[in-house]
Amino acid sequence: MMGDAATATSSAPHVGRADADRTPDVIVVGAGVIGLSTAWRATLAGLDVTVIDPAPASGASGVAAGMLAPVTEVAYGEESLLRLNIAGARRWPDFTAELEAATGHDIGHQRDGTLLVAFDADDHAALRDLHGFQQHLGLEVDRRRSRECRAQEPMLSPRIRGGVFAPGDHHVDPRRTTAALAEACRARGVTTVAQPVERIDHDGERVLGVTTGDGATHTAPRVVLAAGVASGALHGLPASVAPPVRPVKGQILRLRSRDGTRLLSGAVRGIVQGRSIYLVPRRDDELVVGATQEELGHDRSVTAGGVRELLDAAVAIVPGVDELTLAETAAGLRPGTPDNHPLVGATDLDGLILATGHHRHGVLLAPITAEAVVACLLGETPPAEIEVADPRRSAVTDTGPRTSDPGRRVDDVRSAS
Amino acid sequence: MMGDAATATSSAPHVGRADADRTPDVIVVGAGVIGLSTAWRATLAGLDVTVIDPAPASGASGVAAGMLAPVTEVAYGEESLLRLNIAGARRWPDFTAELEAATGHDIGHQRDGTLLVAFDADDHAALRDLHGFQQHLGLEVDRRRSRECRAQEPMLSPRIRGGVFAPGDHHVDPRRTTAALAEACRARGVTTVAQPVERIDHDGERVLGVTTGDGATHTAPRVVLAAGVASGALHGLPASVAPPVRPVKGQILRLRSRDGTRLLSGAVRGIVQGRSIYLVPRRDDELVVGATQEELGHDRSVTAGGVRELLDAAVAIVPGVDELTLAETAAGLRPGTPDNHPLVGATDLDGLILATGHHRHGVLLAPITAEAVVACLLGETPPAEIEVADPRRSAVTDTGPRTSDPGRRVDDVRSAS
């Protein structure tokens, strides 16, 4: 493994992680689930890594529900993203096993499938269409009648019209996952700098390092930008390589039972009067409720309207939610992109690698993103499915109108126009 | 003033507040708005006071909205409570003036009246009946058409059917009030003991003091029991004098504007599909939302159902509430009594004075309660209106059926049965 020399000094760049002045092989900007996964996997590949983040795991990762659910989350027109998401999900079992073995942590990986239910007749019609689309794509998903849904989850409302079950859609606990990743990074000797990154330093052709909020410069030949929604706000980057991320706000609620009972045995998604929500039970009596609809916005405040919509929809499909304690409300800003695909890979600035723009799929795509970035760092071939996330694709580098471009490989109806 | 001697020693009971072993004139159990008001007023009457509470102002006082609103809160069958409430409200202007002068604090006393609006046709019918009852009682309250309500509060929904305006119904900020009272007590030399009271000590005929959770005994010839809902859970009291309080849960929300705008200029109450709610704007952009309906219960957890009902009702009459930030949810346990009247005055245990059972009216009734307790301590005549709160009244000491007793002076439809 590189950088493991006990004799390291500041005159020996690339080695000596105990020395504050040393030059690591790579700086990872951002200690969310993407940055920490990348840093951990990079150390396992023998690289010396520094992670810089003023508040590790405090961004969108801490607000995520942790769904590993490419099947029930599939959206019309996002077939290329679906392939990436499925490839991402396939990496999770090994990733979990290795992370739990390395740390002794339990990251709450639950593999009992996801039930998607429809509330009213219109929702049921939408669900039937979605199921047809899922079957057309060859996905593993089974229709369930209303009474079959309730046999599986007895606390579901008798009013629900029916559902589909995706046995391969799982979930992890993102807070446990980032905590385990931070521990794994520590154990592998990753250096952590608790500072905001002010600027990516470069000479116009290649990256030189970063400057942090305390004025310190940190040199490194490679910088991985994994700062989520903050990735677009860093100074110093040429416009051609600055990631076009925009904040997409998501609000979630954490509810708790007052008497230790669990309302749901597994994850339930719902289509409720046109809105999509999810209810994810954790092992410790917690039920996380969130919506897949999102709003643009730079503020992380939790609005009354957001809480109301989540609770109303959750109670519609699981009436017992009313009796739970509202333990926490939180909002996070996910890094969206113009075509809803992530930005993972090398840029035109030598040494600068992006690992951001994961939108709602940061947890799901963390292992494959880490794998792709490490391949990029080592000069190896990344997984084929990550190609749709190439930061140099025209859909994100073009400055003209995006939604009507017939030449785009991604025909996404939800793109920013 | 008693107890002001600089030469106090433990051999000189009733004097010397600097000595931990001294015997004060009175121990007040509980540092909520009732206990602190009583302690402050007692020191002004020349008494030496010790207040004991493990967590001052952490109970129902901190969750209250602070409505001083006997007119819009009047309930059928509670005429005797109304007289007490009106007498309580009349004491507030002087109480505020003296407290603010004594401390330099602003307790957020707003005197711009309260608007009570009806949401749908049924609510409007209920409001018309209530207005007739208010007029029958001779209360100052004016009908308002829907457009008049909206002229006064432009953010009200156009759907509201009409309202009534009570110019004399005001409000204070309970957190500011308890903070000012604590400061006023400190300035007057009140001793505070931050311990839970385990037991009221007595010899069967008269009170001797209290024992706290750390095992310490605190002697005093008089004990005022002002511990809110905890007043009923103290050990050592004979059943005949133990206050019959039961916890009545109330949930409130604190909302904040994201841009400094105020949705409401004054307090608004609403009848929304049969539910009563209130929206109280504070001077610092905060809007407090609560309900007058309550549930029995010993836990202080905030339920999803409680939050949902409050938000749904608030948004129904003020749609802009959806855009506010949900800053805090809280639940408090108010001390209810069998006949919904407080328990204020001497008991059959000599030296034990109750000042509890104020239900939703603890803030409103704090000044008159303090006045009555101090009169009791000094052997003077308390205000006539407090007589309905006599702890020795049959409605709370009888053990038989209460709601059907024709001899009761209080014919309260909401009594516990």
Side-chain angles (χ1 to χ4, degrees), chain A residues 84-170:
Chain A
L84 174 58
N85 287 349
I86 287 175
R90 286 209 183 105
R91 272 140 178 100
W92 264 98
D94 286 350
F95 191 82
T96 296
E98 291 173 44
L99 182 57
E100 292 189 340
T103 61
H105 289 214
D106 167 8
I107 65 167
H109 190 162
Q110 290 181 259
R111 302 162 211 221
D112 31 20
T114 294
L115 183 64
L116 170 59
V117 300
F119 178 65
D120 67 17
D122 288 344
D123 297 326
H124 202 205
L127 182 68
R128 276 194 299 267
D129 290 347
L130 179 66
H131 183 236
F133 181 57
Q134 289 165 332
Q135 287 186 308
H136 166 74
L137 295 171
L139 302 175
E140 186 183 1
V141 58
D142 307 317
R143 280 292 294 277
R144 290 275 196 275
R145 293 173 190 279
S146 176
R147 66 170 179 273
E148 292 168 331
C149 293
R150 294 175 61 215
Q152 183 172 339
E153 293 287 359
M155 298 304 283
L156 283 171
S157 168
R159 291 187 58 186
I160 64 152
R161 299 301 184 101
V164 299
F165 182 65
D169 275 6
H170 303 155

Side-chain angles (χ1 to χ4, degrees), chain A residues 258 302 304-305 308 322 324 326, chain B residues 302 304-305 308 312 322 324 326:
Chain A
R258 287 185 285 178
V302 176
R308 207 160 66 86
D322 258 347
L324 300 181
L326 180 59
Chain B
V302 177
R308 207 161 65 86
D312 285 351
D322 257 346
L324 300 181
L326 180 59

Side-chain angles (χ1 to χ4, degrees), chain A residues 62-66 175 250-256 277-282 285-291 301-315 321-322 324-332 334, chain B residues 302-305 307-308 311 326 329:
Chain A
V63 179
R175 292 183 181 178
Q251 306 194 36
I252 66 162
L253 312 176
R254 290 173 195 276
L255 302 158
R256 278 187 197 282
I277 64 154
Y278 49 80
L279 296 89
V280 182
R282 299 268 184 248
D285 285 353
E286 194 176 73
L287 185 69
V288 177
V289 176
S301 60
V302 176
T303 60
V307 172
R308 207 160 66 86
E309 286 188 8
L310 287 175
L311 286 180
D312 286 350
V315 169
V321 164
D322 258 347
L324 300 181
T325 295
L326 180 59
E328 185 187 331
T329 62
R334 290 89 177 255
Chain B
V302 177
T303 60
V307 172
R308 207 161 65 86
L311 285 180
L326 180 59
T329 63

Side-chain angles (χ1 to χ4, degrees), chain A residues 72-97:
Chain A
T72 50
E73 287 204 354
V74 68
Y76 301 110
E78 287 192 345
E79 287 89 338
S80 61
L81 185 58
L82 171 68
R83 284 189 292 276
L84 174 58
N85 287 349
I86 287 175
R90 286 209 183 105
R91 272 140 178 100
W92 264 98
D94 286 350
F95 191 82
T96 296

Side-chain angles (χ1 to χ4, degrees), chain B residues 15-391:
Chain B
V15 293
R17 69 173 53 90
D19 188 325
D21 291 333
R22 88 190 196 291
T23 297
D25 298 313
V26 56
I27 287 173
V28 177
V29 180
V33 68
I34 297 288
L36 291 173
S37 294
T38 300
W40 177 48
R41 296 311 240 186
T43 65
L44 292 176
L47 299 173
D48 183 17
V49 182
T50 290
V51 174
I52 307 184
D53 192 317
S58 68
S61 301
V63 179
M67 293 297 292
L68 312 175
V71 174
T72 50
E73 287 204 352
V74 69
Y76 302 109
E78 287 192 346
E79 287 88 337
S80 60
L81 185 58
L82 172 68
R83 285 189 292 276
L84 173 59
N85 287 349
I86 287 174
R90 286 209 185 104
R91 271 137 179 102
W92 263 99
D94 286 350
F95 191 82
T96 296
E98 290 173 45
L99 182 57
E100 293 188 341
T103 62
H105 288 214
D106 167 8
I107 64 166
H109 191 162
Q110 289 181 258
R111 301 163 211 221
D112 31 20
T114 294
L115 183 64
L116 170 59
V117 300
F119 177 65
D120 67 18
D122 288 345
D123 298 326
H124 203 205
L127 181 68
R128 275 194 299 267
D129 290 347
L130 180 66
H131 183 236
F133 181 58
Q134 290 165 331
Q135 287 186 308
H136 165 76
L137 296 170
L139 302 175
E140 186 183 3
V141 58
D142 307 317
R143 279 292 293 277
R144 290 275 196 276
R145 294 173 190 278
S146 176
R147 66 169 178 275
E148 292 169 331
C149 293
R150 294 177 59 215
Q152 183 172 338
E153 293 287 0
M155 298 304 283
L156 283 171
S157 166
R159 292 187 56 185
I160 64 153
R161 298 301 183 99
V164 299
F165 182 65
D169 275 6
H170 303 155
H171 53 98
V172 292
D173 183 329
R175 292 184 181 178
R176 288 169 176 260
T177 301
T178 50
L181 285 167
E183 172 60 28
C185 285
R186 266 193 299 274
R188 295 292 301 176
V190 169
T191 300
T192 304
V193 176
Q195 281 287 329
V197 169
E198 284 293 304
R199 190 173 65 237
I200 306 287
D201 299 316
H202 62 92
D203 62 10
E205 293 198 344
R206 59 172 299 113
V207 133
L208 302 172
V210 306
T211 298
T212 46
D214 55 356
T217 58
H218 304 261
T219 59
R222 265 87 59 94
V223 170
V224 176
L225 187 45
V229 76
S231 305
L234 290 172
H235 299 291
L237 284 179
S240 61
V241 302
V245 292
R246 53 179 183 144
V248 182
K249 183 171 175 176
Q251 306 195 38
I252 66 161
L253 311 176
R254 290 174 194 275
L255 302 157
R256 278 188 197 283
S257 161
R258 287 186 285 179
D259 58 4
T261 57
R262 286 168 63 98
L263 285 182
L264 298 175
S265 63
V268 170
R269 307 179 76 101
I271 309 176
V272 182
Q273 295 179 320
R275 289 199 290 255
S276 289
I277 64 155
Y278 50 80
L279 296 89
V280 183
R282 299 268 184 248
R283 289 189 181 145
D284 54 357
D285 284 355
E286 194 175 73
L287 186 69
V288 176
V289 176
T292 53
Q293 279 93 337
E294 292 138 333
E295 44 179 322
L296 292 180
H298 287 267
D299 74 302
R300 289 178 60 171
S301 60
V302 177
T303 60
V307 172
R308 207 161 65 86
E309 287 187 8
L310 286 175
L311 285 180
D312 285 351
V315 169
I317 58 172
V318 184
V321 164
D322 257 346
E323 303 306 316
L324 300 181
T325 295
L326 180 59
E328 185 186 331
T329 63
L333 298 177
R334 290 89 177 255
T337 61
D339 63 2
N340 283 332
H341 285 48
L343 301 159
V344 179
T347 65
D348 286 337
L349 185 65
D350 196 17
L352 178 70
I353 297 162
L354 300 189
T356 185
H358 290 81
H359 203 212
R360 291 189 284 114
H361 303 299
V363 177
L364 171 65
L365 297 177
I368 196 171
T369 296
E371 184 180 328
V373 170
V374 171
C376 192
L377 288 168
L378 299 177
E380 297 173 354
T381 306
E385 297 89 348
I386 205 76
E387 200 192 333
V388 297
D390 183 347

